[in-house]
């Protein structure tokens, strides 16, 4: 087997940036000429995060092959610029689901099915699947979700413990990310939480090879020595992961520490020197903008920024491409109506309505869109945002006062957005009843689909391509019965399914920049290559701001 494995565990507490650390290490190894993939193992019982409230779990990231995954996969794609797939994320729920299905089929031939070996074997199978085939990467980084000490994480840790012996010590590396707090009153870094966390890991039989210490400031040599001594690692295998204001600086900081070099040496990787020019340019460009734009994001999950992770990043990428800083103003749509829109959006150079589910806050989104359309403020609607733009246009321009989405008004006379069942036939569920609510898992149109772009439109000016692939996550869709009436009033359908059966992009030509898309372009935006629609939206906002 050519692939070498790096297992990343976390200790002390969550939110230390394990995903970003894994992605940054992967990016550095890539610049050294290695091929890299990353997999996230999530210990929760949900089969995937698709049914989880964004307040709980943050964004659901969608891959080309239609998997609903952990938001860390977004970081992996943004840092590695390689598409992830359903192979790159699994959960306890998915593992158990699989094992239980096998048990019901009788595949275990009468054996008692247990966590060890059946669950752990299934985990190992998922991990090793990354190393299969001709395209197996040089390095597979496996990030274990949660914190060492969590009961639910134990089968994953046991699986990686076993893998170390099975694939050989030379082919695996354990990296443990911990917190090393700086106590201001004592004036020093504290290593005790790290010692405890490593002790916990050792009690499970895992000896970390590298300790990565999340800290406010770089950890002094004597502290590193102490951590090395108490955690049985080499002195030069203790690294700092310092707080940064720009997440794209992390690879450069790791490089300065010599982190990737140590990894390459320990795993005997055929690595060349790192090439960091593109990362340096990225950090330089984002640190030196020539102006600023303010973008309002009008949504429901405004208190938890993680819920709009990819969107946030895509807007930042659009800013970098246009050399402007992007200030994001999160607006709770429940607080917006026609009477206060002018004051709520005062000083905004662009308004964005993102994806979402359910009726709560929808009328506020529609009011925000009306304001953007009438006041000629650049507008970008994504998924639900596009659907709301269609409803707004139908109500206020085409005179269909009761226009709505079937999601919000199932009995309404003018369902300009409606539930399409076309993709249900391959997802099979609820076909007869047309009821998407009985089993919320697995009833959506998910993953990448082709979209044909109409020439002479803003969409075409952005993409400069006749056909694109974009990722979807929705149940409802533009109702084709309204194409003619809305088209006659000036709405342009600039992106459709190649057979013209579905409207994927709408826009208004009589406006500085007003575009809505049924797909989620934010998933495909990259720091070094902003998504064309985000680049053009920010460009329009920049013109609006006179920046
Ligand atoms: N709720 C809408 C639908 O299901 C939009 C979904 C979304 O914005 N991702 O079609």
């Amino acid at each position: 087997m050519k692939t070498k494995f790096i297992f990343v565990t976390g200790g002390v507490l969550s939110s230390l940036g394990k995903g970003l650390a894994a992605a940054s290490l992967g990016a550095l190894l890539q610049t050294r000429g290695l091929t890299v993939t990353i997999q996230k193992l999530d210990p929760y019982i949900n089969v995937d995060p698709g049914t989880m409230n964004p307040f709980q779990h943050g964004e659901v990231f969608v891959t080309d092959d239609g998997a609903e995954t952990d938001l860390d996969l977004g970081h992996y794609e943004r840092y590695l610029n390689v598409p992830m797939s359903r192979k790159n994320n699994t959960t306890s729920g998915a593992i158990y689901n699989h094992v239980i299905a096998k048990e019901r089929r009788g595949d275990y031939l009468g054996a008692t099915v247990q966590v060890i070996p059946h669950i752990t074997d299934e985990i190992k199978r998922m991990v090793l699947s990354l190393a299969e085939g001709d395209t197996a990467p040089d390095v597979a980084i496996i990030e274990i979700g949660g914190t060492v000490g969590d009961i639910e994480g134990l089968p994953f840790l046991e699986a990686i413990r076993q893998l170390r012996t099975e694939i050989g010590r030379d082919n695996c590396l354990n990296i443990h990310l911990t917190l090393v707090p700086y106590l201001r009153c004592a004036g020093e870094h504290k290593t005790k939480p790290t010692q405890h966390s490593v002790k916990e890991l050792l009690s499970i039989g895992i000896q970390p090879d590298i300790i990565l210490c999340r800290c406010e400031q770089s950890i002094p040599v004597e502290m590193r020595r102490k951590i090395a001594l108490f955690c049985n690692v080499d002195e030069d295998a203790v690294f700092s992961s310092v707080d940064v204001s720009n997440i794209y600086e992390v690879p450069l900081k790791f490089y300065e520490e010599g982190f990737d070099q140590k990894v390459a040496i320990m795993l005997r990787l055929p690595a060349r020197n790192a090439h960091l020019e593109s990362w340096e340019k990225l950090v330089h460009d984002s640190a030196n903008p020539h102006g600023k734009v303010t973008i309002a994001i009008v949504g429901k999950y405004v208190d938890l920024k993680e819920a709009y992770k990819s969107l946030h990043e895509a807007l930042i990428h659009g800013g970098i491409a246009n050399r402007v800083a992007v200030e994001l103003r999160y607006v709770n749509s429940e607080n917006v109506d026609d009477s206060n829109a002018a004051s709520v959006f005062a000083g905004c150079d662009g308004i964005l309505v993102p994806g979402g589910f359910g009726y709560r806050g929808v009328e506020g989104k529609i009011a925000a869109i009306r304001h953007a359309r009438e006041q000629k403020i650049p507008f970008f609607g994504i998924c639900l945002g596009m659907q709301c733009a269609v409803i707004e246009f139908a109500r206020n321009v085409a005179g269909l006062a009761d226009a709505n989405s079937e999601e919000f008004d199932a009995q309404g006379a003018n369902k300009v957005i409606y539930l399409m069942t076309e993709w249900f036939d391959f997802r099979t569920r609820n076909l007869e009843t047309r009821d998407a609510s009985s089993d919320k898992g697995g009833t959506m149109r998910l993953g990448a689909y082709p979209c044909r772009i109409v020439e002479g439109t803003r969409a075409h000016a952005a993409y400069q391509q006749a056909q694109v692939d974009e990722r979807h996550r929705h149940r409802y869709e533009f109702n084709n019965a309204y194409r003619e009436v809305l088209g006659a009033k000036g709405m342009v359908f600039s992106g459709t399914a190649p057979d013209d059966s579905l409207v994927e992009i709408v826009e208004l030509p009589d406006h500085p920049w007003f575009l809505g898309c049924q797909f989620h372009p934010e998933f495909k935006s990259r720091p070094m290559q902003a998504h064309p629609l985000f680049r053009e939206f920010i460009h329009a906002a920049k013109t609006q701001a006179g920046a």
Side-chain angles (χ1 to χ4, degrees), residues 89-262:
N89 188 201
T90 195
T91 69
S92 289
I95 300 274
Y96 272 86
N97 220 11
H98 190 81
V99 169
I100 291 169
K102 272 169 83 175
E103 185 274 333
R104 291 289 85 185
R105 277 201 310 267
D107 291 3
Y108 293 111
L109 305 173
T112 307
V113 181
Q114 293 175 302
V115 173
I116 302 170
H118 301 99
I119 296 294
T120 45
D121 280 354
E122 182 57 25
I123 296 170
K124 288 193 288 184
R125 196 185 62 76
M126 280 301 294
V127 171
L128 293 174
S129 72
L130 297 174
E132 286 162 7
D134 302 338
T135 53
D138 299 318
V139 180
I141 302 175
I142 316 296
E143 180 193 347
I144 321 277
T147 308
V148 169
D150 297 345
I151 290 174
E152 56 197 16
L154 285 173
F156 291 101
L157 296 174
E158 170 60 15
I160 66 167
R161 187 195 67 76
Q162 294 179 10
L163 276 172
R164 178 138 218 197
T165 330
E166 288 173 20
I167 19 187
R169 265 156 229 288
D170 290 348
N171 300 323
C172 296
L173 196 70
N174 286 319
I175 298 177
H176 190 55
L177 174 65
T178 72
L179 177 73
V180 177
Y182 181 77
L183 275 201
R184 236 164 278 275
C185 54
E188 59 176 7
H189 287 92
K190 289 293 178 189
T191 66
K192 198 52 73 81
T194 298
Q195 293 179 41
H196 279 298
S197 176
V198 170
K199 221 171 170 179
E200 186 81 36
L201 205 51
L202 286 169
S203 74
I204 305 164
I206 296 175
Q207 166 65 56
D209 301 293
I210 288 180
I211 311 271
L212 185 58
C213 307
R214 178 70 191 265
C215 47
E216 279 178 52
Q217 296 148 11
S218 188
I219 297 171
V221 178
E222 64 277 15
M223 283 291 162
R224 293 185 194 224
R225 212 168 277 152
K226 191 170 166 188
I227 292 171
L229 182 67
F230 287 111
C231 302
N232 321 314
V233 298
D234 298 344
E235 237 175 79
D236 63 353
V238 180
F239 297 99
S240 299
S241 172
V242 290
D243 295 351
V244 286
S245 54
N246 172 1
I247 57 169
Y248 299 115
E249 268 179 63
V250 178
L252 298 177
K253 294 281 179 201
F254 280 2
Y255 177 77
E256 280 168 25
E257 287 269 320
F259 178 40
D260 54 313
Q261 192 177 23
K262 181 73 181 171

